[in-house]
Amino acid sequence: MWQTLLAGKAWHGEFINRTAGGGTRTESAVIAPLRNSSGQVSHYVAVKEDITARKAQEEQLRKLSMAVEQSPESIVITDLEARIEYVNESFQRNTGYTREEAAGLNPRVLKSGRTPASTYDDMWTTLAHGEIWRGELFNRRKDGSEYVEFARIAPIRQADGATTHYLAIKEDITEKKAMADELERHREHLEQ
């Protein structure tokens, strides 16, 4: 800071200051040199803004972003036309589609043809009523391999109540279903 000011230039930065109560406040500051009539720096003027609340919000957003990005479940956000706007890392690992490839696509690109049409009808009816839909989807990865997901899809509402997007949180349950099927076959075998 002082190097900049001594060079006669304005300095922009942040300070963390202690309050009288022992807490801290974060302030954004601009400090600029003022020159006298002969061009010499005679004073400095500082303009400060308390940004403590903004920094706390930024930290909350950073944590939320990390949680979504690192979630073990696939997270997809679409617009109302079901065009993908966001996918997390788990989606990319589970489907084989990169963020760039998925952006703008309709999630139907994952359809394997094994999910009954009635499932999709129920899903869209539920979402149209502003409710959360839960169910299984039989999907296909980019490489053609099939998998099963348990999906929870919900409308995203703005402050005025208007739905602007859909949020899908999907768990790959392929192994769980295979184990349950194997246990059922084993049970039936034991009963025979």
Side-chain angles (χ1 to χ4, degrees):
M1 171 180 80
W2 285 112
Q3 273 186 314
T4 302
L5 292 173
L6 291 174
K9 298 177 184 172
W11 178 84
H12 306 267
E14 294 178 4
F15 290 105
I16 297 176
N17 295 315
R18 292 228 173 264
T19 64
T24 59
R25 306 299 284 166
T26 304
E27 294 177 322
S28 175
V30 177
I31 303 173
L34 294 178
R35 300 180 187 282
N36 60 24
S37 58
S38 63
Q40 298 291 327
V41 174
S42 60
H43 294 84
Y44 294 93
V45 63
V47 177
K48 300 189 306 180
E49 175 186 9
D50 186 340
I51 60 169
T52 306
R54 185 176 82 205
K55 291 297 249 185
Q57 288 175 338
E58 288 171 358
E59 180 61 16
Q60 279 295 95
L61 283 173
R62 187 187 70 74
K63 287 179 191 174
L64 179 60
S65 177
M66 286 174 42
V68 167
E69 196 56 38
Q70 296 175 23
S71 171
E73 296 183 336
S74 293
I75 297 178
V76 180
I77 298 174
T78 69
D79 64 14
L80 295 179
E81 301 300 317
R83 288 182 297 253
I84 295 173
E85 291 188 0
Y86 171 83
V87 297
N88 69 347
E89 280 291 325
S90 184
F91 173 91
Q92 294 177 92
R93 278 191 310 276
N94 288 342
T95 68
Y97 288 94
T98 66
R99 264 191 189 97
E100 295 75 21
E101 291 170 325
L105 292 178
N106 186 298
R108 82 178 113 225
V109 72
L110 302 173
K111 280 185 175 183
S112 68
R114 293 185 48 222
T115 303
S118 60
T119 300
Y120 295 111
D121 292 341
D122 178 55
M123 177 185 73
W124 285 111
T125 299
T126 302
L127 291 172
H129 286 99
E131 299 169 1
I132 299 171
W133 179 83
R134 294 169 184 83
E136 289 183 6
L137 300 170
F138 296 86
N139 286 334
R140 179 176 286 130
R141 293 180 179 91
K142 183 179 175 183
D143 67 8
S145 62
E146 292 187 3
Y147 65 109
V148 183
E149 291 183 306
F150 180 77
R152 290 171 304 283
I153 304 175
I156 298 176
R157 292 183 185 85
Q158 299 304 307
D160 65 0
T163 297
T164 58
H165 293 83
Y166 295 112
L167 168 68
I169 301 174
K170 304 185 296 179
E171 177 187 4
D172 184 339
I173 60 170
T174 308
E175 288 183 28
K176 287 180 185 178
K177 284 194 70 75
M179 287 173 54
D181 291 347
E182 180 64 28
L183 285 172
E184 181 61 25
R185 284 192 298 276
H186 183 66
R187 187 185 64 75
E188 288 174 1
H189 178 70
L190 288 175
E191 287 177 358
Q192 291 174 359

